């Protein structure tokens, strides 16, 4: 232990990429003591890259900023399948997004960016999500939607439930948890295995930075419910570091305050 007048404690040996945690409690001279108070902090192990002007780029994948302790950032993914509505797939190396006449599969992907929140005075100007292609057929157009059910669980989510217990508002995450469509990308027959598929996820990243850092997506076939069979297999976070999904943030000096809704001026009615 130490007394209040013992001075400061030198933490000069802290290293980037590590998470540090501690706990403290107060002990009176008569032996009474308080409850433990705990806290922790993380020192990111990656740095931004200057890409010109006032713009900087930060590239985030599961665990690519940490060298020990918890994975930072913490990213999770899985897919859910109407053909096997009670099954889970979080340990799969490939994530399936597909539609055919008898089933549909949708990917869930999220990253906790709270370990890499931008400092005050900086804002995301645009963001992309990238996933590496393993296989595709039928020239699928794949859309990315905001997932407003941020407490979904990758290990237990199914077609019917977001955590193994509680139901989606509509099976397949097709209800009010499916927020704004952020962008779509068409994977044509000319796109080869190993290529990176890119979606613009600027709105989702900006919202995450304004709130708690939770960035959550639903990735599905655009126009599912009609048309020919189409599918894509995309590598998951279970793969090696260089194949994992990636969030790319470009930020600049500025405010991240959400603009006010415009007020109509004319016509008066």
């Amino acid at each position: 232990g130490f007394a209040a007048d013992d001075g400061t404690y030198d933490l000069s040996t802290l290293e980037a990429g590590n998470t540090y945690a501690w706990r403290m409690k107060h002990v009176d001279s008569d032996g009474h003591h308080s409850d433990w108070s705990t806290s922790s902090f993380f020192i990111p192990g990656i740095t931004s890259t200057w890409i010109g002007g006032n713009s900087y780029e930060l590239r985030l994948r599961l665990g690519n900023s940490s060298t020990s302790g918890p994975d930072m950032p913490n990213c999770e993914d899985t897919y859910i399948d109407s053909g096997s509505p009670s099954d889970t797939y979080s340990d799969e190396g490939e994530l399936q997004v597909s539609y055919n006449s008898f089933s549909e599969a949708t990917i869930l992907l999220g990253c906790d960016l709270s370990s890499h929140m931008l400092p005050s005075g900086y804002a995301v100007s645009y963001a992309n999500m990238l996933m590496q292609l393993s296989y595709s057929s039928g020239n699928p157009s794949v859309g990315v939607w905001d997932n407003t059910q941020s407490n979904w669980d990758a290990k237990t989510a199914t077609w019917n439930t977001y955590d193994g217990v509680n139901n989606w508002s509509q099976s397949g995450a097709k209800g009010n948890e499916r927020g704004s469509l952020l962008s779509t990308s068409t994977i044509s027959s000319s796109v080869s295995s190993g290529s990176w598929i890119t979606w613009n996820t600027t709105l989702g990243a900006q919202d995450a930075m304004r709130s708690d850092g939770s960035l959550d997506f639903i990735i599905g076939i655009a126009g599912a419910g009609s048309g020919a069979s189409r599918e894509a297999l995309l590598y998951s976070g279970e793969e090696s570091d260089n194949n994992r999904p990636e969030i790319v943030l470009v930020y600049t000096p500025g405010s991240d305050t959400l603009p006010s809704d415009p007020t109509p001026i004319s016509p008066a009615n």
Side-chain angles (χ1 to χ4, degrees):
F2 58 89
D5 58 358
D6 280 351
T8 60
Y9 181 73
D10 184 8
L11 299 176
S12 59
T13 58
L14 300 182
E15 297 181 357
N18 291 345
T19 296
Y20 295 90
W22 69 90
R23 65 176 186 169
M24 300 179 68
K25 68 178 177 179
H26 177 77
V27 181
D28 288 336
S29 58
D30 59 5
H32 292 91
H33 58 82
S34 68
D35 293 332
W36 286 106
S37 177
T38 62
S39 189
S40 64
F41 64 91
F42 170 67
I43 304 176
I46 58 173
T47 58
S48 303
T49 301
W50 176 67
I51 58 174
N54 289 323
S55 296
Y56 299 84
E57 181 182 81
L58 189 61
R59 307 184 76 96
L60 299 169
R61 299 186 305 277
L62 169 66
N64 75 324
S65 188
S66 55
T67 55
S68 66
D71 285 329
M72 296 289 187
N74 181 29
C75 299
E76 296 186 313
D77 51 46
T78 187
Y79 70 91
I80 54 178
D81 182 2
S82 68
S84 302
S86 299
D87 288 354
T88 59
Y89 301 96
S90 64
D91 294 330
E92 299 286 334
E94 295 176 336
L95 302 171
Q96 179 180 348
V97 56
S98 64
Y99 168 77
N100 54 54
S101 60
F102 54 87
S103 68
E104 181 180 349
T106 297
I107 295 171
L108 305 175
L109 187 149
C111 277
D112 180 3
L113 302 185
S114 61
S115 57
H116 292 79
M117 300 293 279
L118 296 179
S120 178
Y122 289 88
V124 173
S125 56
Y126 68 88
N128 288 330
M129 180 181 71
L130 291 80
M131 299 183 74
Q132 191 175 37
L133 180 68
S134 172
Y135 166 83
S136 71
S137 66
N139 301 317
S141 179
V142 180
V144 173
W145 288 262
D146 263 330
N147 181 359
T148 63
Q149 192 70 56
S150 59
N151 60 338
W152 66 278
D153 187 286
K155 294 191 179 301
T156 56
T158 67
W159 185 260
N160 292 327
T161 71
Y162 59 82
D163 60 0
V165 177
N166 297 289
N167 291 334
W168 299 104
S169 65
Q170 183 177 333
S171 294
K174 290 188 172 187
N176 55 29
E177 59 274 314
R178 187 169 293 209
S180 301
L181 175 62
L182 302 177
S183 64
T184 60
S185 288
T186 298
I187 307 175
S188 68
S189 58
S190 63
V191 180
S192 60
S193 175
S195 298
W196 288 89
I197 313 302
T198 302
W199 293 269
N200 184 323
T201 54
T202 301
L203 179 61
Q206 289 173 338
D207 287 343
M209 284 294 172
R210 293 186 186 109
S211 55
D212 61 358
S214 181
L215 186 63
D216 299 283
F217 299 127
I218 297 168
I219 304 167
I221 297 293
S226 63
S229 299
R230 47 217 192 265
E231 81 171 306
L233 299 178
L234 301 158
Y235 290 119
S236 76
E238 294 294 312
E239 291 294 307
S240 61
D241 182 64
N242 290 334
N243 304 107
R244 291 173 177 170
E246 186 171 49
I247 304 296
V248 180
L249 305 177
V250 173
Y251 64 92
T252 59
S255 171
D256 69 350
T257 301
L258 185 67
S260 301
D261 291 333
T263 301
I265 297 175
S266 178
N269 61 348

